[in-house]
Amino acid sequence: MTNEELLKIAEKAAENSYSPYSHFRVGAALECSDGSVFTGCNVENCAYGCAICGERTAMVKAVSEGHRDFVRLAVTSPDSVDWAMPCGQCRQFMAEFNLDMDVIIGRQDGQFMILKVRELLPWSFNPDNLP
């Protein structure tokens, strides 16, 4: 699967977003080493701390199905003309599983960039930091 195809899956996932407060839909598509893909969208809540981002939704779905071997994560938003950068919580969540995972960050105009998790969250706190 190409990076563009994974981004298209993320774009489709954004259509399911529940974002009545921010009006900022986010879609994510997570590829695992066996080729399976898990999608996610952001789900907001009137108690803002209860919201979850699309990236974490996809990762939680994968873990709940027995996958922890994340290879690539595409993230995009149809509501932003700029890059759909993952938030700090999502970056920390990614660091738990694979600092070398490719994160494909899309824009509305079809352009994308690819960064490693370790580039998005340098000097991360990760499982290697624990005894």
Side-chain angles (χ1 to χ4, degrees):
M1 174 178 313
T2 67
N3 292 326
E4 292 86 356
E5 289 170 331
L6 199 60
L7 268 170
K8 287 289 183 202
I9 295 170
E11 288 173 12
K12 181 77 174 153
E15 294 174 9
N16 294 324
S17 169
Y18 177 74
S19 46
Y21 306 105
S22 70
H23 306 286
F24 190 79
R25 297 168 294 163
V26 175
L30 174 69
E31 183 182 27
C32 297
S33 63
D34 67 356
S36 35
V37 175
F38 295 87
T39 60
C41 64
N42 56 321
V43 180
E44 295 179 351
N45 189 284
C46 65
Y48 296 124
C50 294
I52 187 166
C53 300
E55 300 94 306
R56 283 182 285 140
T57 298
M59 289 183 281
V60 167
K61 285 171 66 176
V63 170
S64 73
E65 296 297 323
H67 294 267
R68 294 186 182 95
D69 50 345
F70 306 162
V71 176
R72 292 187 298 169
L73 175 70
V75 60
T76 192
S77 172
D79 300 319
S80 175
V81 295
D82 204 357
W83 304 106
M85 286 298 203
C87 75
Q89 285 183 332
C90 288
R91 295 174 193 206
Q92 180 61 49
F93 207 89
M94 292 175 208
E96 178 74 15
F97 296 98
N98 185 356
L99 286 168
D100 292 313
M101 177 172 61
D102 285 335
V103 181
I104 306 158
I105 304 161
R107 282 196 334 199
Q108 276 185 350
D109 64 4
Q111 292 187 35
F112 63 90
M113 70 168 99
I114 303 172
L115 297 169
K116 299 285 187 193
V117 172
R118 68 176 66 255
E119 294 174 293
L120 287 168
L121 190 64
W123 297 97
S124 68
F125 183 79
N126 60 68
D128 292 339
N129 298 115
L130 298 174

